[in-house]
Amino acid sequence: MTRLARRSHGPRQGERSGFDRRLIALMILGSVLNPVNSSMLAVALIPIGRAFDAPPSQTAWLVSGLYLATAVGQPVIGRLVDTFGPRRLYLLGTALVGAAGLLGTLAPNLWVLVASRVLLGFGTSAAFPASMSLLRSESERTGEKSPSGVLTALSISNQVFAVVGPALGGLLIGTGGWHLIFGINVPLSLACLVLGALWLPRATPPARATRTDTTGMLLFAGSLTAFMFFLMDPAAAHWYLPVLGLVTGAVFVRRELRTDEPFMDLRVLGGNIPLLATFTRQLLAYTTSYAFFYGYSQWLQEGRGLNASQAGLLLLPLSATAIGVTALTGRRGQVRGKLVVGAVCQCLGVAALLLLGGDSPVWLLVLLSAAVGIPHGLIGLANQNALYAQADPARMGSSAGLLRTFMYLGALFASAANAVFFRDGATSAGLHSMAWLLVGVTAVFLLACVADRSLGRVGRDT
């Protein structure tokens, strides 16, 4: 890992002090850019579709576009963070967020709006690997081995903004239209840029130049895009798309294993089965989480007949419960119990979708949102703690980027599920069909948590 230059105001050699609070504030500010945009968009998909006369199968690309970009951007930016340090990548990423906000605010049609989401995805890809790299360097500086308190603060802050997002999105849409949920990125970006320029430590220049594996990036993006086009509109006539995705993916894997400076360092996984299991759990958990979040919010508006503001308010209990669960359990380093309980609750939550209909009482909707917040508060933080314990310290940025990549792959699968099951609108029948799929996904996730015995060792020495 690149050694960060010691700040002149920092502790003298041999001294120990706590984590730099200003850096924690920057980590939080950068890391919330993605969740606040995701949560606001959840209640904006229906109004945007109406504005551009686009069905859910097309507006789903607003979700898929962002997560395709982040799936590609996270690992390459994570590797660049390991090489050049977090400062440059953090500042570049947050500048892209501001540009994406301007483009989205002025978008004349749906596909320009999708382009702004792609740009936003690349911009928000920098914060998490930069934060994990900063955590590792601060841990080395202070001598504190366990950053569980800081990880908890990051997780809670993400939950808080997930709470604010739907309600804020509904308020902005009611006040000035859906354009405002893109415009809010401009002041957030400026805040990150100003504070980052003042507080982020400068990195020691790398010993040698690092080449960009453009071919690897294109192969990875091409493979993902081929699969996504098929999943968004699965049909026998489109058989060539998954074949193209498999072939391109195979070429990508072969290249990445043979090149000295790969786009996605698959050697991070070499021999590290526990870390690979953590990535797999992340994929399964967030397939369900995103499918519920976007599917449920659209159904509330079309299937249940609520407006964007009301749908946003009904998502508040989900994030409020998640905050409480994270606050109560976050400082405990053990992860196995959290993951098993989270998997069980997630399975029960998606099964409850089968009970919903156009006349479902509000109290049931509130109760369901609150219950789904339990796994939301347990699983993400547990996987972050597992990653921190399992990853090679010298490749922490790359590993953190891959963790987010698998999270966004789950979001891509979720977006495809929304597009398929809501092809004719966000109806109760479509919601029920999606629920059966998610029950299967959560069952596999539960088995993966129970079967991984290495999880029992995580957190015991902290």
Side-chain angles (χ1 to χ4, degrees):
M1 177 181 296
T2 300
R3 183 181 302 171
L4 296 178
R6 190 177 300 277
R7 294 173 293 277
S8 60
H9 57 272
R12 293 185 299 273
Q13 188 171 4
E15 280 190 15
R16 292 184 179 182
S17 62
F19 281 79
D20 189 330
R21 297 288 179 182
R22 299 178 308 174
L23 294 183
I24 297 174
L26 271 175
M27 294 178 204
I28 290 173
L29 188 57
S31 68
V32 301
L33 292 174
N34 190 285
V36 74
N37 276 283
S38 297
S39 55
M40 286 194 299
L41 185 70
V43 297
L45 289 172
I46 297 299
I48 290 172
R50 290 170 180 164
F52 293 121
D53 194 24
S57 59
Q58 290 184 8
T59 58
W61 281 106
L62 292 168
V63 180
S64 298
L66 182 142
Y67 292 125
L68 274 171
T70 49
V72 174
Q74 284 281 345
V76 70
I77 292 178
R79 188 166 185 278
L80 292 174
V81 165
D82 286 339
T83 303
F84 296 103
R87 179 185 173 91
R88 298 181 193 178
L89 281 306
Y90 183 98
L91 295 177
L92 176 60
T94 51
L96 289 178
V97 169
L102 283 174
L103 181 62
T105 303
L106 303 174
N109 58 58
L110 178 65
W111 301 111
V112 173
L113 203 60
V114 171
S116 77
R117 292 280 293 177
V118 170
L119 189 61
L120 183 66
F122 281 116
T124 58
S125 292
F128 184 67
S131 295
M132 295 300 286
S133 179
L134 284 169
L135 275 180
R136 175 61 67 178
S137 63
E138 284 292 282
S139 180
E140 292 173 353
R141 181 180 67 82
T142 62
E144 297 180 20
K145 293 183 178 180
S146 173
S148 58
V150 181
L151 288 173
T152 301
L154 286 172
S155 183
I156 289 179
S157 66
N158 278 260
Q159 302 293 351
V160 168
F161 275 84
V163 168
V164 173
L168 176 61
L171 176 63
L172 291 174
I173 292 168
T175 301
W178 58 263
H179 298 82
L180 293 183
I181 72 169
F182 290 86
I184 198 173
N185 286 293
V186 177
L188 288 174
S189 170
L190 289 174
C192 289
L193 285 170
V194 171
L195 297 180
L198 291 174
W199 295 346
L200 283 172
R202 298 184 182 276
T204 303
R208 60 187 181 88
T210 299
R211 293 178 297 175
T212 301
D213 181 16
T214 305
T215 302
M217 293 175 63
L218 292 175
L219 287 170
F220 182 72
S223 179
L224 272 185
T225 303
F227 280 118
M228 280 306 300
F229 270 105
F230 178 77
L231 290 172
M232 299 288 273
D233 187 18
H238 300 156
W239 62 268
Y240 58 91
L241 288 173
V243 172
L244 177 61
L246 286 172
V247 172
T248 308
V251 175
F252 165 74
V253 170
R254 182 176 180 180
R255 173 183 170 80
E256 298 305 280
L257 291 175
R258 292 188 173 190
T259 188
D260 292 333
E261 297 180 356
F263 150 66
M264 183 181 291
D265 195 351
L266 299 179
R267 287 164 293 202
V268 166
L269 308 178
N272 195 339
I273 301 302
L275 184 60
L276 180 58
T278 294
F279 291 150
T280 303
R281 288 194 307 273
Q282 188 85 336
L283 171 66
L284 294 169
Y286 280 94
T287 296
T288 300
S289 180
Y290 279 107
F292 179 93
F293 192 70
Y294 287 111
Y296 184 60
S297 60
Q298 290 183 81
W299 174 83
L300 286 174
Q301 294 175 72
E302 284 201 337
R304 184 59 177 76
L306 305 178
N307 61 38
S309 298
Q310 292 169 331
L313 290 174
L314 279 175
L315 289 173
L316 286 176
L318 186 156
S319 296
T321 303
I323 292 171
V325 170
T326 302
L328 289 173
T329 65
R331 290 188 175 274
R332 298 184 180 91
Q334 292 84 358
V335 302
R336 185 185 179 92
K338 296 177 187 177
L339 288 169
V340 171
V341 172
V344 171
C345 292
Q346 197 176 60
C347 189
L348 294 175
V350 296
L353 292 175
L354 297 168
L355 304 176
L356 300 184
D359 58 351
S360 294
V362 172
W363 67 262
L364 178 60
L365 305 179
V366 172
L367 182 62
L368 176 58
S369 290
V372 172
I374 296 173
H376 200 70
L378 290 171
I379 295 169
L381 182 56
N383 279 335
Q384 284 185 40
N385 281 323
L387 170 88
Y388 193 85
Q390 295 163 344
D392 179 355
R395 291 176 170 173
M396 185 59 68
S398 300
S399 300
L402 281 173
L403 184 71
R404 283 298 175 97
T405 292
F406 278 84
M407 171 181 168
Y408 296 138
L409 288 175
L412 288 173
F413 290 140
S415 178
N418 280 182
V420 170
F421 293 116
F422 290 164
R423 184 172 304 281
D424 299 320
T427 64
S428 296
L431 184 72
H432 295 162
S433 297
M434 186 175 67
W436 282 115
L437 171 67
L438 297 182
V439 167
V441 174
T442 54
V444 174
F445 174 51
L446 176 58
L447 289 174
C449 296
V450 172
D452 188 356
R453 297 193 176 188
S454 69
L455 292 174
R457 297 190 293 272
V458 176
R460 288 192 173 181
D461 58 346
T462 59

